Amino acid sequence: MIKRKNIIKIAIDSPAAAGAGTLGKALSKNYNLLYLDTGKIYRFIAYLKLKFPKKFSQKFLKSKIKFLSSRDLSKKVLISDKIGIEASIIAQNENIRKIVHNFQLGFAYNPPKKFNGSCLDGRDITYNIVPDADFKFYITANVETRAKRRFLELKKSNKKITYKEVLKSIKNRDKNDLNRKISPLKRT
Ligand code: C5P
């Protein structure tokens, strides 16, 4: 793997809707870093699984990830609660994690020359993907505060969604992300 020397690497981990993305984007803008919300990759894979259930295989996934673009990751459909829950299920699969892991390394260690470095946020970034990051953050907040944040965000595109539903799904995802065997969310 090609590793650029003398770059700034920032790693952020957090449970769902705690504000890691807001922090990551602000830091990246300020220090001119390439920013990657790694949750979006798992969300994109969840979207592929729901959209192409019959085609969904490791080979299919590898070919999609190889050509993954920022356009794919900014699809509006990825922010839905349904996709978030599915993402936390497929994120427990070791083979899927391996494919995503390799993709993330290029972003973290070999960002284009115009950037001073990289900033990644997710669940296993500080101890698994970029263990030698120059700065590491663990961002959290109580589950009600996070659910409220996510509810206000989701309400803009889905008028029917309720706070109760969002709270339930965030609790569900916390359970999946904290307790899974492979690369659980943890404070390093
Ligand atoms: O960050 P976000 O909530 O969009 O992530 C969606 C899901 O993707 C998480 O609930 C988690 O299960 C998974 N994920 C992960 N590892 C990461 C980032 C996200 O397992 N580094």
Side-chain angles (χ1 to χ4, degrees):
M1 184 201 12
I2 303 167
K3 284 190 175 183
R4 260 183 71 195
K5 288 195 179 120
N6 301 321
I7 59 168
I8 304 167
K9 296 185 295 297
I10 300 183
I12 309 174
D13 283 324
S14 80
T22 308
L23 175 72
K25 277 183 211 145
L27 286 170
S28 301
K29 192 171 171 209
N30 200 56
Y31 295 103
N32 185 33
L33 308 173
L34 177 66
Y35 169 68
L36 179 65
D37 168 358
T38 65
K40 283 275 166 63
I41 309 170
Y42 291 96
R43 283 174 181 264
F44 183 69
I45 295 171
Y47 158 80
L48 291 177
K49 190 181 169 201
L50 295 174
K51 187 156 185 212
F52 307 103
K54 285 192 186 140
K55 274 194 195 168
F56 196 77
S57 66
Q58 218 165 303
K59 198 174 157 205
F60 171 75
L61 199 56
K62 274 189 185 162
S63 70
K64 290 284 178 192
I65 296 292
K66 198 170 171 188
F67 299 106
L68 192 63
S69 67
S70 54
R71 218 169 131 212
D72 292 326
L73 297 182
S74 52
K75 274 182 184 297
K76 270 204 176 134
V77 60
L78 300 189
I79 61 167
S80 80
D81 223 24
K82 188 176 166 198
I83 297 275
I85 293 166
E86 187 62 35
S88 79
I89 295 169
I90 57 108
Q92 297 172 33
N93 180 300
E94 192 170 7
N95 292 329
I96 290 182
R97 292 206 79 86
K98 268 190 202 148
I99 296 171
V100 178
H101 190 140
N102 291 338
F103 176 80
Q104 293 170 127
L105 294 181
F107 262 84
Y109 291 96
N110 193 23
K113 288 256 156 42
K114 63 177 180 181
F115 294 105
N116 297 328
S118 62
C119 173
L120 275 66
D121 80 58
R123 303 292 187 281
D124 59 343
I125 309 300
T126 54
Y127 72 95
N128 193 27
I129 309 298
V130 199
D132 61 343
D134 303 281
F135 301 96
K136 296 182 180 183
F137 296 92
Y138 184 87
I139 307 296
T140 192
N142 67 51
V143 70
E144 290 81 11
T145 306
R146 291 188 281 123
K148 193 173 167 202
R149 241 181 130 245
R150 183 50 47 89
F151 169 63
L152 294 174
E153 256 169 43
L154 291 174
K155 221 175 100 180
K156 287 180 203 157
S157 53
N158 177 5
K159 299 270 178 275
K160 283 189 194 147
I161 200 153
T162 66
Y163 168 77
K164 240 178 144 182
E165 267 176 75
V166 178
L167 180 66
K168 192 174 161 204
S169 89
I170 290 210
K171 280 185 177 167
N172 226 325
R173 285 211 283 144
D174 279 0
K175 209 166 106 196
N176 288 344
D177 294 350
L178 289 161
N179 299 320
R180 69 179 177 223
K181 287 207 179 83
I182 308 150
S183 307
L185 169 66
K186 62 180 178 192
R187 199 185 303 225
T188 48

